[in-house]
């Protein structure tokens, strides 16, 4: 039996527990191995927030931000006094262009961990991202042309970020989040275009198809 309790003889030979071996696998550029180890560890201790945080790290290394978000959410629920759960969740939301969600997550983290400087800085950073959209939405000078340009300027770095996401499901989620912020500020034409792109990324996602139909 291995020292980590997951039945992997190599881990036992190295004298490492499951979590330590998973960390080593990520360090060596083998995050998929870390995910497999942590899947087994979580199966035996499903309420250990630390395990979800470790798997979240490995998933981020694999570029699987949607799955990482789920693990970070679970970790923040299981251990609300642990800042890392909120940090990981908010960072995953930012990776998926959900800036409003990230701002709310970091704020909740600050309430639960008022002395954590990293959480506070992340909250301020997310608020600034949200202000970019707010400034575009509330722009009064220059009329509609100026507002179009302001939203293009806010959208462009996000679209560049979306194109760098490894999984089609994550690209679709990010595009849906971008569409949501456009709807929030009354930019329905742009929102429909973003939802069309999201459906192309994940054509089997019926929630996306429903959201696109509702946008007409």
């Amino acid at each position: 039996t291995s020292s980590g309790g997951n039945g992997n003889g190599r881990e036992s030979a190295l004298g490492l527990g499951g979590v330590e071996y998973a960390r080593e696998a990520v360090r060596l550029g083998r995050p998929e191995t870390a995910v497999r180890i942590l899947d087994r560890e979580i199966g035996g201790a499903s309420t250990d927030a630390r395990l979800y945080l470790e798997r979240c790290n490995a998933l981020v290394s694999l570029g699987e931000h949607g799955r990482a978000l789920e693990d970070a959410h679970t970790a923040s629920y299981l251990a609300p006094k642990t800042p890392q759960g909120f940090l990981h969740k908010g960072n995953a939301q930012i990776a998926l262009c959900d800036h409003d969600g990230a701002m709310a997550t970091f704020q909740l983290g600050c309430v639960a961990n008022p002395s954590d400087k990293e959480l506070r800085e992340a909250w301020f950073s997310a608020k600034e991202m949200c202000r970019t959209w707010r400034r575009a939405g509330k722009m009064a000078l220059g009329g509609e042309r100026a507002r179009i340009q302001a939203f293009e300027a806010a959208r462009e770095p996000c679209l560049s970020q979306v194109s760098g996401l490894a999984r089609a499901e994550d690209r679709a989620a990010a595009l849906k989040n971008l569409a949501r912020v456009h709807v929030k500020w009354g930019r329905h034409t742009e929102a429909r275009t973003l939802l069309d792109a999201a459906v192309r990324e994940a054509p089997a996602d019926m929630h996306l198809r429903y959201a696109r139909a509702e946008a007409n």
Side-chain angles (χ1 to χ4, degrees), residues 106-128:
F106 292 138
Q107 183 176 10
L108 284 172
C110 287
V111 171
N113 304 272
S115 63
D116 192 273
K117 182 180 178 182
E118 191 174 359
L119 265 176
R120 191 163 59 251
E121 289 175 351
W123 181 26
F124 292 153
S125 178
K127 283 199 291 186
E128 186 54 39

Side-chain angles (χ1 to χ4, degrees), residues 42-158:
I42 287 170
S46 61
T47 59
D48 188 339
R50 179 188 61 151
L51 296 175
Y52 289 96
L53 287 173
E54 294 290 346
R55 190 170 66 178
C56 175
N57 279 331
L59 289 167
V60 169
S61 295
L62 281 171
E64 297 199 22
H65 297 283
R67 290 180 62 196
L69 174 58
E70 293 174 7
D71 275 358
H73 175 77
T74 301
S76 65
Y77 172 77
L78 291 172
K81 293 297 184 183
T82 301
Q84 290 301 316
F86 294 101
L87 283 166
H88 284 41
K89 181 180 177 181
N91 287 336
Q93 287 169 308
I94 288 172
L96 297 173
C97 299
D98 183 7
H99 304 130
D100 283 338
M103 182 174 68
T105 293
F106 292 138
Q107 183 176 10
L108 284 172
C110 287
V111 171
N113 304 272
S115 63
D116 192 273
K117 182 180 178 182
E118 191 174 359
L119 265 176
R120 191 163 59 251
E121 289 175 351
W123 181 26
F124 292 153
S125 178
K127 283 199 291 186
E128 186 54 39
M129 294 178 192
C130 294
R131 286 193 189 103
T132 299
W133 295 109
R134 188 179 303 114
R135 283 192 291 266
K138 290 184 173 294
M139 181 169 288
L141 295 176
E144 177 63 7
R145 179 178 293 277
R147 284 189 290 274
I148 289 172
Q149 292 174 343
F151 272 93
E152 285 178 349
R155 192 166 57 241
E156 191 56 39
C158 296

Side-chain angles (χ1 to χ4, degrees), residues 173-193:
L175 289 163
K176 184 179 180 181
N177 288 329
L178 283 176
R180 186 186 299 122
V181 77
H182 281 72
V183 169
K184 176 180 178 179
W185 295 108
R187 310 302 303 182
H188 297 284
T189 299
E190 293 101 319
R192 285 191 289 270
T193 299

